[in-house]
Structure formats: structure tokens, C-alpha cells
């Protein structure tokens, strides 16, 4: 139930020893033929993510299953932030392995992706700072054993945050491609975004929650309430290149399910993404405004706190990102909007919310071409939305971007979807027949 997988024993009875040996041999031979199954894995464990249970979860729930399935492992328990990323980037002998395993949350998974993708670009002499470069795809798949606070990437790709389920998807060698957004500031690469890139509300929640890391997962709730009460809005310009196919839309209520987002279903998308960089302004749309939040979700961002996610119909590997613009509104309206993330109501059905399915977008804060966080820390260059005392709670002129839980050092950014850049040991969220029927009736 609820997308959870469990191990089950099957007992075969046979009349004599030699038949038994024949069966064992035949079964082993068949398993060897399953080339999708990984045999050697490199495992990174973040011992301090989430409730600090990463090591325990791996040792108690995952390692015994790998052992049973004859999957050999090298395990690295990280000693500091960026340990896993640097190890992958420079040291790890990747030819020895069939895949990587990340035991931790979204932040740890982001480290692994950054390490692996950077290593792949270096090996292929691709310049990450060039926003128009075609990135090389890593050959190793990544498995996520959820042990963080939000674990939204695991939840959105498997349907549950359960270490045993994730371990079994790794063992059977599932494969799910995944879109990644690259984020640049002018011609310098900042980061990849794998789940939520958020300015305004989520940027403020994350900035505040980083100061409360000692609180564990509860830090997000406390920072969320504080940010909600501050009720800040921010001015800026969003320019975007809409995804031109009209077959899908962020409001079509068609959730991404197992088998939908596979390379064979989305071949045409990868080719349209490789347009020359110089043509990039054709077909772009520009929106100026005062925003409570500018969010970009390249997958649904479903998590236990919001089971249908930030953009329920976003697809895992369709080469697009859903850009959600929440304009300045009253506190009660914003509360209604937030609340709809937690129930079945449509969070986009408000006059102050619009959502676009896009391939690329830029954000430029008002009154600034090159604002960086260093600039913001200097009072002299600080430009408030409302000069002098005001009653609008504008607080400060600029928010910051959160990128999978990390704060970006720049506010003016350019974002571009890298279609199916990485592959996970997952198969997307599986659906029961009743659930399919329900979606059909809804449509
Ligand atoms: N040994 C370590 N000591 C300190 N920090 C670490 C260590 N290993 C990894 N990290 C950092 O910890 C950060 C948070 O980890 P992780 O994502 O696993 O947990 P979380 O923040 O609780 O969960 P989530 O990202 O799902 O909210 C990561 O960004 C990672 O860079
Ligand atoms: C009235 C009730 C209001 C409830 C509103 C709930 C809305 C929840 C949407 C959550 C979307 C999470 C997307 C995941 C982002 C992760 O990459 C990031 C790092 O782990 N976590 C957060 O940003 C943590 C973000 C936490 C935000 C509160
Ligand atoms: Ca997508």
C-alpha cells in the first residue's frame, strides 16, 4: 500500500538435492542476465541530515538487503558539508561502480548530483559557465535512501519516503530520467536545481531556517510561520520562454506517473532544447510585478508536508519547469493559497497566481542589475521598495533565491532546463487502477 515495497520470501520445494542445485543455478543465471541490476555501488551517508538517523537507517534497513541481493558496496560516511561532492568531483574511481547511493535529504542529493555532473563535464571538456552548452549526461544512476527533513525528490519519484522501498528499487535496477535546471548569473554557473527554486516566500523561509538548523525538521515550520507573518513582497521582472507544445499544462491535473516520463516518450523534447543560444529571445514573454513568491518546480515537489506538491502536474523528465508567480495579495489570500498545498483544492485557482510551463526563464530584481548578497550586506547599496517609513511591511527590497534548500549568492539569475540530465534508481510514482479511475473522473 501507499507505494511501499516489501521483501517477501518464496519457498520452493523440490524432491532431491541435485534438482535443487539445478534450480539455484538456473535462477542465478537468470539474475545475472538482468543487466539493469547494479552489482557494485558507491554509498554516501550524511550522518547529520534530518533526524540524524542516516547511518542507522543504512546499517539496519538497507545494508542487509544489498547483502541478500549480492550487491557489493563501498560506503563513505561524510565528515563535513561538500565532502561527497568533492570526493565525486576529483577522487572517486567511478569506473568501479554501477551506481551511486545517497543516504540523506534533498541537500545531500544535490551534493551528489553536483559532484557527478561536474565530474562528467570535466571529463568531456564541457564548460558549465556557458549557459548555452550542451551538457554531457553521467552514466551512473543515483539511488536515494531518504534520511533528510523534506526528502521531496525521493517522495516525488517513488511516492513514499521509505528506505526499504528505495533500496528495492535500487536492487531491481529501476531507471527514471530526471530534469535538472541549471542556474547562471550572467556567464557564471551558480548551481543546479533539482526540486524547488524559490524567491520571496520560500527564499525567506530557507534563509531563516538555516539559522535554526539545530531545531531539525521543525525549523521549516517555525521559519514558515515567521515568514508568513512578515508578509513581504518583492518587485522584479520575470522573462520566460514558454514550452511550445500544447499537449501539457501545469493546470491539466495530469500527474506524472510511472512510465510517462521516459526517453522514448519525450524524444522530441530533447532536440527542441538544443536551440542556438543567440535565438533565445524569440518567443519570450516578460512580466513585471510585485511578487509574494516566484517559484520554479522542475518536478511536482511532492513531500509529506504537501502530498500533491508545489506543482502537482509537473513532470519529472519532460524538459520543462513550472514557473509559479504569486503576486502581492492580502495575508488571508496568501494563507488560503498556502493551505491549498496541503489539501485537494487547486492552489493555482486564485486571481493573484499564475503558472507557466517553461523551458528557460530569467529573473531581474527591481532597481538592480548586479545585486549580490555581498551587496545586500552593505547598507549603502540597499534600496528599499518604499523609500522612508512605510506601512506595507515591505521589509527589505530583495529576497534571496533558495535552490533545493541552499541560498544562492545572486538574485539576478538565468535558468535553463537540462532535459533528463540524470537518472535515478526509481520508476516514477506507480498508480493503482482505482487511482487511475479517480484521475479520469477528475478530468
Ligand atoms: N558530515 C556532514 N557534516 C555537516 N554537514 C553535512 C555533512 N554531510 C553532508 N552535509 C550537508 O548537510 C546538508 C543537509 O543535509 P540533508 O539534505 O541530508 O538533510 P536535511 O537538510 O535535513 O534534509 P532536506 O534537504 O531534505 O531538508 C547538505 O546540504 C550537506 O551538504
Ligand atoms: C497553512 C499551511 C501552509 C503549509 C504550506 C506548505 C507548502 C509546502 C510546499 C513544500 C515544497 C517543498 C519543496 C522542497 C524543497 C526542498 O528542496 C528544500 C530542501 O530540502 N526544502 C524546503 O525548501 C522546505 C520548504 C518548507 C516550506 C514550508
Ligand atoms: Ca520537468
Amino acid at each position: 500500500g501507499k507505494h511501499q515495497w516489501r521483501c517477501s520470501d518464496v519457498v520452493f520445494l523440490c524432491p532431491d538435492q541435485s534438482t535443487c542445485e539445478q534450480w539455484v543455478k538456473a535462477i542465478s543465471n537468470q539474475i545475472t542476465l538482468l543487466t539493469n541490476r547494479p552489482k557494485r555501488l558507491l554509498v554516501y551517508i550524511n550522518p547529520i541530515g534530518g533526524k540524524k538517523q542516516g547511518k542507522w537507517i543504512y546499517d539496519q534497513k538497507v545494508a542487509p538487503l544489498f547483502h541478500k541481493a549480492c550487491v557489493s558496496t563501498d560506503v563513505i560516511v561524510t565528515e563535513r558539508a561538500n565532502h561527497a561532492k568533492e570526493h565525486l568531483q576529483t577522487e572517486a574511481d567511478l569506473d568501479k561502480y554501477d551506481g551511486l547511493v545517497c543516504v540523506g535529504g534533498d541537500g545531500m542529493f544535490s551534493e551528489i548530483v553536483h559532484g557527478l555532473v561536474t565530474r562528467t563535464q570535466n571529463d568531456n571538456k564541457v564548460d558549465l559557465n556557458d549557459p548555452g552548452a550542451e551538457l554531457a549526461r553521467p552514466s551512473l544512476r543515483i539511488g536515494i535512501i531518504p534520511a533528510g527533513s523534506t526528502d521531496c525528490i525521493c517522495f516525488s519519484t517513488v511516492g513514499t519516503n521509505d528506505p526499504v522501498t528505495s533500496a528495492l528499487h535500487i536492487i531491481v535496477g529501476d531507471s527514471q530520467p530526471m530534469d535538472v535546471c541549471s542556474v547562471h548569473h550572467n556567464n557564471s554557473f551558480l548551481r543546479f536545481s533539482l526540486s524547488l527554486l524559490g524567491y520571496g516566500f520560500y527564499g525567506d523561509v530557507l534563509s531563516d531556517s538555516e539559522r535554526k538548523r539545530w531545531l531539525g525538521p521543525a525549523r521549516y515550520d517555525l521559519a514558515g510561520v515567521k515568514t508568513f507573518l512578515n508578509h513581504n513582497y518583492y518587485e522584479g521582472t520575470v522573462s520566460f520562454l514558454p514550452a511550445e507544445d500544447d499537449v501539457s499544462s501545469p493546470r491539466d491535473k495530469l500527474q506524472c506517473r510511472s512510465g510517462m516520463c521516459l526517453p522514448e516518450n519525450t524524444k522530441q523534447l530533447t532536440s527542441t532544447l538544443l536551440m542556438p543560444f543567440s535565438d533565445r529571445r524569440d518567443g519570450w514573454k516578460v512580466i513585471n510585478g510585485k511578487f509574494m513568491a516566484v517559484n520554479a518546480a522542475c518536478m511536482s515537489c511532492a513531500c509529506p508536508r504537501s502530498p500533491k506538491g508545489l506543482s502537482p502536474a509537473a513532470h519529472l523528465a519532460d524538459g520543462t519547469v513550472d514557473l509559479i508567480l504569486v503576486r502581492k495579495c492580502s495575508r488571508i489570500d496568501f494563507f488560503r493559497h498556502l493551505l491549498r498545498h496541503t489539501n485537494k483544492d487547486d492552489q493555482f485557482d486564485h486571481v493573484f497566481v499564475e503558472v507557466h510551463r517553461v523551458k528557460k526563464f530569467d529573473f531581474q530584481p527591481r532597481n538592480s542589475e548586479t545585486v549580490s548578497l555581498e551587496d545586500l550586506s552593505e547598507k549603502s547599496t540597499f534600496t528599499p521598495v518604499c523609500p522612508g517609513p512605510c506601512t506595507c511591511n515591505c521589509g527589505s527590497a530583495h529576497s534571496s533565491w533558495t535552490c533545493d534548500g541552499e541560498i544562492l549568492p545572486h538574485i539576478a539569475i538565468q535558468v535553463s532546463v537540462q532535459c533528463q540530465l540524470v537518472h535515478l534508481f526509481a520508476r516514477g510514482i506507480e498508480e493503482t487502477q482505482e487511482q487511475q479511475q479517480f484521475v479520469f473522473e477528475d478530468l
Side-chain angles (χ1 to χ4, degrees):
K2 290 190 180 153
H3 312 291
Q4 292 204 353
W5 284 23
R6 283 293 171 262
C7 291
S8 138
D9 292 324
V10 180
V11 180
F12 293 81
L13 298 174
C14 70
D16 54 67
Q17 178 74 18
S18 74
T19 315
C20 177
E21 279 162 15
Q22 257 184 326
W23 284 2
V24 169
K25 206 166 156 214
I27 293 170
S28 306
N29 285 344
Q30 288 301 312
I31 290 176
T32 322
L33 293 177
L34 301 171
T35 49
N36 280 345
R37 290 194 176 207
K39 294 189 179 64
R40 288 148 308 172
L41 294 169
L42 175 56
V43 180
Y44 293 97
I45 303 178
N46 177 359
I48 63 109
K51 295 183 188 140
K52 301 188 172 41
Q53 301 275 292
K55 176 119 181 33
W56 184 87
I57 289 173
Y58 182 77
D59 291 343
Q60 300 298 314
K61 301 195 167 186
V62 179
L65 293 178
F66 285 168
H67 180 74
K68 260 191 182 175
C70 300
V71 177
S72 69
T73 51
D74 285 332
V75 178
I76 296 177
V77 180
T78 60
E79 285 159 18
R80 58 193 157 76
N82 291 323
H83 181 170
K85 182 176 135 197
E86 286 158 17
H87 184 260
L88 272 167
Q89 235 165 270
T90 51
E91 267 177 66
D93 179 3
L94 297 182
D95 294 338
K96 273 173 51 186
Y97 303 104
D98 306 313
L100 305 176
V101 175
C102 165
V103 185
D106 299 322
M108 186 63 184
F109 177 67
S110 168
E111 262 201 42
I112 307 272
V113 169
H114 279 82
L116 180 65
V117 173
T118 312
R119 169 79 170 263
T120 311
Q121 307 320 305
N122 292 346
D123 291 350
N124 289 277
K125 310 224 166 353
V126 177
D127 180 9
L128 264 181
N129 288 322
D130 172 4
E134 186 189 342
L135 302 189
R137 293 193 170 91
S139 55
L140 295 182
R141 281 168 288 171
I142 312 171
I144 308 175
I145 304 294
S149 305
T150 322
D151 298 317
C152 112
I153 297 160
C154 182
F155 199 92
S156 304
T157 53
V158 177
T160 183
N161 286 339
D162 174 52
V164 170
T165 306
S166 288
L168 292 172
H169 280 290
I170 296 170
I171 289 169
V172 301
D174 277 335
S175 183
Q176 173 64 55
M178 199 183 112
D179 293 339
V180 167
C181 285
S182 57
V183 186
H184 286 79
H185 172 73
N186 299 332
N187 282 326
S188 108
F189 171 76
L190 296 183
R191 272 188 99 80
F192 291 114
S193 167
L194 313 161
S195 55
L196 165 68
L197 193 54
Y199 183 78
F201 182 73
Y202 289 105
D204 294 352
V205 171
L206 260 290
S207 308
D208 194 53
S209 69
E210 276 307 289
R211 292 190 279 269
K212 300 180 167 63
R213 211 160 235 293
W214 55 272
L215 270 173
R219 69 191 183 279
Y220 291 131
D221 299 309
L222 203 69
V225 171
K226 192 173 150 193
T227 307
F228 172 77
L229 293 174
N230 283 344
H231 196 63
N232 286 345
Y233 69 86
Y234 304 95
E235 287 196 71
T237 304
V238 186
S239 320
F240 60 88
L241 178 66
E244 68 262 331
D245 71 276
D246 3 295
V247 264
S248 83
S249 129
R251 301 204 58 189
D252 62 15
K253 297 204 164 49
L254 189 66
Q255 290 177 311
C256 190
R257 289 296 176 261
S258 188
M260 275 188 197
C261 262
L262 295 174
E264 55 269 33
N265 301 341
T266 50
K267 259 186 197 126
Q268 78 286 2
L269 289 162
T270 33
S271 57
T272 54
L273 280 168
L274 303 178
M275 61 188 77
F277 195 53
S278 54
D279 287 346
R280 61 195 293 279
R281 291 289 144 189
D282 289 351
W284 280 61
K285 295 194 170 145
V286 179
I287 297 178
N288 277 302
K290 295 177 175 152
F291 302 107
M292 305 296 302
V294 176
N295 298 323
C298 64
M299 60 171 68
S300 69
C301 292
C303 55
R305 157 192 321 267
S306 172
K308 65 188 185 348
L310 212 67
S311 189
H315 288 278
L316 283 174
D318 64 343
T320 73
V321 57
D322 287 352
L323 181 62
I324 305 157
L325 307 177
V326 185
R327 289 178 190 269
K328 185 183 163 195
C329 61
S330 69
R331 256 202 194 86
I332 184 73
D333 278 344
F334 192 60
F335 182 75
R336 285 193 187 109
H337 169 65
L338 286 180
L339 196 61
R340 287 183 183 186
H341 289 79
T342 63
N343 59 31
K344 284 201 168 144
D345 295 339
D346 180 0
Q347 65 257 41
F348 303 140
D349 189 17
H350 297 283
V351 285
F352 56 90
V353 178
E354 55 188 285
V355 55
H356 304 273
R357 189 152 282 178
V358 312
K359 286 180 180 167
K360 294 165 185 265
F361 74 92
D362 294 355
F363 180 79
Q364 186 69 41
R366 189 194 159 209
N367 287 342
S368 159
E369 264 142 46
T370 53
V371 175
S372 72
L373 288 190
E374 297 89 73
D375 293 337
L376 291 180
S377 60
E378 292 169 26
K379 279 254 171 351
S380 55
T381 54
F382 193 80
T383 328
V385 173
C386 304
C390 63
T391 52
C392 72
N393 266 330
C394 60
S396 74
H398 305 287
S399 172
S400 39
W401 283 97
T402 168
C403 177
D404 300 328
E406 290 291 316
I407 301 300
L408 295 181
H410 292 279
I411 300 172
I413 56 167
Q414 299 84 47
V415 179
S416 180
V417 185
Q418 309 293 327
C419 188
Q420 304 182 354
L421 185 64
V422 294
H423 281 75
L424 298 182
F425 285 112
R427 59 168 69 167
I429 299 178
E430 294 179 291
E431 206 154 45
T432 61
Q433 287 212 320
E434 297 89 80
Q435 284 166 324
Q436 276 166 7
Q437 183 67 26
F438 180 73
V439 172
F440 183 72
E441 280 164 9
D442 249 23
L443 283 172

